[in-house]
Amino acid sequence: MDWKEVLRRRLATPNTGLNRRKSEQELKDEEMDLFTKYYSEWKGAGKNTNEFYKIIPRFYYRLPAEDEVLLQKLREESRAVFLQRKSRELLDNEELQNLWFLLDKHQTPPMIGEEAMINYESFLKVGEKAGPKCKQFFTAKVFAKLLHTDSYGRISIMHFFNYVMRKVWLHQTRIGLSLYDVAGQGYLRESDLENYILELIPTLPQLDGLEKSFYSFYVCTAVRKFFFFLDPLRTGQYLNLDKDHNGMLSKEELSRYGTATMTNVFLDRVFQECLTYDGEMDYKTYLDFVLALENRKEPAALQYIFKLLDIENKGYLNVFSLNYFFRAIQELMKIHGQDPVSFQDVKDEIFDMVKPKDPLKISLQDLINSNQGDTVTTILIDLNGFWTYENREALVANDSENSADLDDT
C-alpha cells in the first residue's frame, strides 16, 4: 500500500474520541502532518531533505561562452541531429502519394458531383494502413474540424489531403527556419532572417528576373515587413525620392511620398520620433513608415501612427492634439484655394466615429476598437486623404453615374 492510500484511509476514518466534527484548519494540519510522515517513509527512512534534492533531474543547461569552442560545436551538432530527426518524421513525397491512393481507394459513396468523400469508419481504416507518421492526422478532432454540411457525415478527401499537405509544409518551413537560428534560442534575429531570405531567392520562380544588385533591397524589404507585423513595397519609389542619391531621405525628399500632400507638422513628428542619421531617414526606417501608412487598418500600423500623433506623450489624443494636426490641414486648404473646414465640426465627427470610453480622450485601443482608425489618422495627416473623406458622398454618386453610363453603352 503506498502513502497516498494510507493518507486517504486515515483522513476518511472518523475521530470517535472527540465526538465532534474537526474544523477545516484541523483537517488541513492533519493532512500536512500525514503527508510529511508518509512521504518521508515512502522515499526511504533516514533520508534528509538535502539528499532528496539529488534525485531531481537536471533541467537547466547554460549556454556555452564564446571561448568554449568545443561546447558550442557540441550544441550545434546536437541541434543539427535533432532537426534531422524531426525532418525524418515528416511525410516525404512517396508517403504522401501512398496516402492519396489509400484515401481514394476508401472513398465512401454516394458520389455527389466530382467531390470524393470519406466517412469516419473508412477514415480510421486508412489511418491504420497509412503508417505511424500519419497517425497524428487521423483523429476525431481533425475529422470534426473538416466536417461541414455533408448529409452523410463525410468529409472531402481533397480537403483532408490538403490539410495534411499544409501541415507538412508548415513543419518543413519551421525546420528550415530553425537551421538559421544561430544562437539556438528558438527565435530568429534580423540578421538570421536576412540570411534565410537571401538564400531563398534563387528558389523563387517569381524572382527569376531580379538583378543581383537589387537582392539587398528585396531582402531588406521582406525582413522589415516580417518584423513590422510579427514583433509589434515599393522600393522603386524610395530610389525616386532620394534626389541627391546619398541612400538616405531628408524631410523635404520624404514630403514627395504618395500624393505629396502630407502636412509638414506630421512630417516633423516623423523625424522627431523615428530613428534618423544626421536628420535623414535610412531605408529600414522608411520601410516602417511605408508599412504603417499603407496598412492603417492594422493594429501595428495604428500604434506606429498613434505614437506620432500623441505629441504630449500622454497615451491618448485630446482636443489639443487633434487641433494641432488639423490646423496644418487647414493651412494646406488655404494654399490650394479651398475653403477651410471648421475644426469644431471635424473634432465632433472624429469623436462620433471613435466613440471613446472617455468622451474627452481617444486612446490607441479606442482607435483599434472603432475600426475607424485609418479614417481618423488620414483626416489628420494628409490633405488628399481629408479631401477624399470630406467629398466621399459626391465621389460615390459620381461612381454610380459612371457605372450607369457604362451600362447604357
Side-chain angles (χ1 to χ4, degrees):
M1 182 184 302
D2 63 15
W3 68 271
K4 293 180 182 179
E5 179 62 20
V6 174
L7 177 60
R8 187 188 67 79
R9 293 190 178 187
R10 286 294 300 272
L11 290 177
T13 302
N15 190 340
T16 56
L18 294 177
N19 195 26
R20 67 176 178 86
R21 296 187 65 179
K22 295 181 180 179
S23 69
E24 184 177 347
Q25 185 59 46
E26 287 174 325
L27 289 172
K28 286 183 178 180
D29 292 342
E30 184 177 18
E31 180 180 345
M32 181 55 68
D33 291 340
L34 289 171
F35 174 82
T36 304
K37 175 184 176 183
Y38 290 113
Y39 183 75
S40 298
E41 293 177 358
W42 179 59
K43 295 301 291 183
K47 287 189 176 181
N48 58 39
T49 305
N50 290 331
E51 289 177 328
F52 285 149
Y53 291 151
K54 296 178 181 178
I55 66 173
I56 299 176
R58 184 175 179 181
F59 57 88
Y60 171 75
Y61 295 85
R62 68 173 180 82
L63 291 174
E66 291 184 4
D67 58 343
E68 295 175 316
V69 181
L70 187 59
L71 288 178
Q72 285 189 344
K73 186 65 177 175
L74 176 62
R75 180 178 172 81
E76 290 174 9
E77 291 297 324
S78 299
R79 287 184 65 247
V81 170
F82 171 76
L83 293 174
Q84 287 171 4
R85 186 174 76 247
K86 286 296 182 182
S87 182
R88 287 194 297 269
E89 291 175 1
L90 299 177
L91 295 169
D92 57 31
N93 289 336
E94 184 177 343
E95 289 166 328
L96 284 168
Q97 189 175 27
N98 180 58
L99 174 61
W100 174 256
F101 288 146
L102 283 171
L103 288 167
D104 187 58
K105 183 179 178 181
H106 288 78
Q107 60 178 280
T108 307
M111 194 79 166
I112 300 177
E114 298 181 356
E115 192 81 36
M117 311 292 284
I118 187 170
N119 63 18
Y120 188 60
E121 184 180 357
S122 298
F123 177 78
L124 293 179
K125 288 180 181 178
V126 174
E128 293 173 359
K129 297 178 181 180
K133 287 186 181 180
C134 293
K135 185 177 180 181
Q136 59 178 308
F137 303 114
F138 288 89
T139 65
K141 184 177 180 180
V142 171
F143 189 89
K145 184 183 296 185
L146 299 175
L147 183 62
H148 295 298
T149 58
D150 183 66
S151 57
Y152 295 93
R154 304 168 301 174
I155 64 172
S156 164
I157 287 177
M158 179 60 74
H159 288 173
F160 172 70
F161 188 73
N162 287 338
Y163 171 83
V164 174
M165 290 280 286
R166 285 195 298 270
K167 286 291 186 180
V168 171
W169 290 339
L170 177 64
H171 288 297
Q172 285 175 340
T173 302
R174 184 167 186 174
I175 291 171
L177 285 169
S178 297
L179 294 172
Y180 291 82
D181 176 14
V182 176
Q185 290 290 80
Y187 57 82
L188 295 181
R189 299 167 300 178
E190 191 168 348
S191 58
D192 300 330
L193 192 55
E194 286 175 350
N195 291 332
Y196 171 75
I197 293 176
L198 184 61
E199 295 185 17
L200 191 66
I201 289 177
T203 69
L204 302 175
Q206 301 93 327
L207 300 180
D208 282 343
L210 184 65
E211 296 181 17
K212 289 192 174 181
S213 59
F214 284 94
Y215 276 19
S216 59
F217 283 100
Y218 178 83
V219 169
C220 186
T221 301
V223 169
R224 294 307 292 178
K225 196 162 188 176
F226 276 115
F227 273 83
F228 185 87
F229 284 105
L230 298 180
D231 194 34
L233 290 171
R234 301 182 298 186
T235 57
Q237 186 174 23
Y238 181 81
L239 299 176
N240 292 333
L241 292 174
D242 183 17
K243 294 300 181 181
D244 58 8
H245 305 294
N246 69 343
M248 309 279 279
L249 295 182
S250 65
K251 176 190 164 186
E252 192 275 330
E253 288 172 328
L254 185 63
S255 69
R256 293 193 292 272
Y257 171 80
T259 57
T261 53
M262 284 185 295
T263 67
N264 282 329
V265 169
F266 177 67
L267 290 173
D268 285 340
R269 287 292 296 155
V270 172
F271 279 80
Q272 288 169 5
E273 290 293 329
C274 299
L275 180 63
T276 57
Y277 303 87
D278 294 328
E280 294 200 317
M281 177 184 291
D282 71 350
Y283 185 60
K284 290 183 178 180
T285 306
Y286 168 78
L287 286 179
D288 284 345
F289 173 79
V290 172
L291 285 166
L293 292 187
E294 293 190 351
N295 299 276
R296 279 178 242 189
K297 289 183 179 293
E298 300 293 333
L302 286 176
Q303 184 176 21
Y304 177 99
I305 300 174
F306 186 88
K307 182 180 179 182
L308 302 177
L309 298 178
D310 183 12
I311 53 176
E312 298 177 288
N313 198 29
K314 291 184 174 180
Y316 59 82
L317 306 181
N318 54 20
V319 174
F320 173 80
S321 53
L322 297 180
N323 188 34
Y324 179 82
F325 285 97
F326 191 72
R327 277 186 303 175
I329 295 289
Q330 291 173 320
E331 290 298 322
L332 284 179
M333 294 182 75
K334 291 178 183 177
I335 292 172
H336 288 81
Q338 301 174 15
D339 294 330
V341 177
S342 164
F343 167 70
Q344 187 66 34
D345 294 339
V346 172
K347 182 260 295 182
D348 290 343
E349 285 191 45
I350 289 176
F351 275 89
D352 285 343
M353 282 190 286
V354 177
K355 295 180 176 59
K357 291 182 178 179
D358 187 322
L360 300 178
K361 302 174 183 177
I362 297 175
S363 68
L364 171 61
Q365 197 58 50
D366 289 330
L367 272 184
I368 295 172
N369 293 343
S370 71
N371 292 321
Q372 298 290 336
D374 57 323
T375 302
V376 172
T377 54
T378 298
I379 289 172
L380 296 173
I381 69 176
D382 189 333
L383 174 61
N384 185 62
F386 172 74
W387 185 90
T388 302
Y389 169 77
E390 190 69 6
N391 296 276
R392 58 195 181 281
E393 294 179 0
L395 292 173
V396 169
N398 188 52
D399 287 341
S400 299
E401 291 176 5
N402 290 337
S403 299
D405 291 340
L406 288 173
D407 291 340
D408 292 339
T409 59

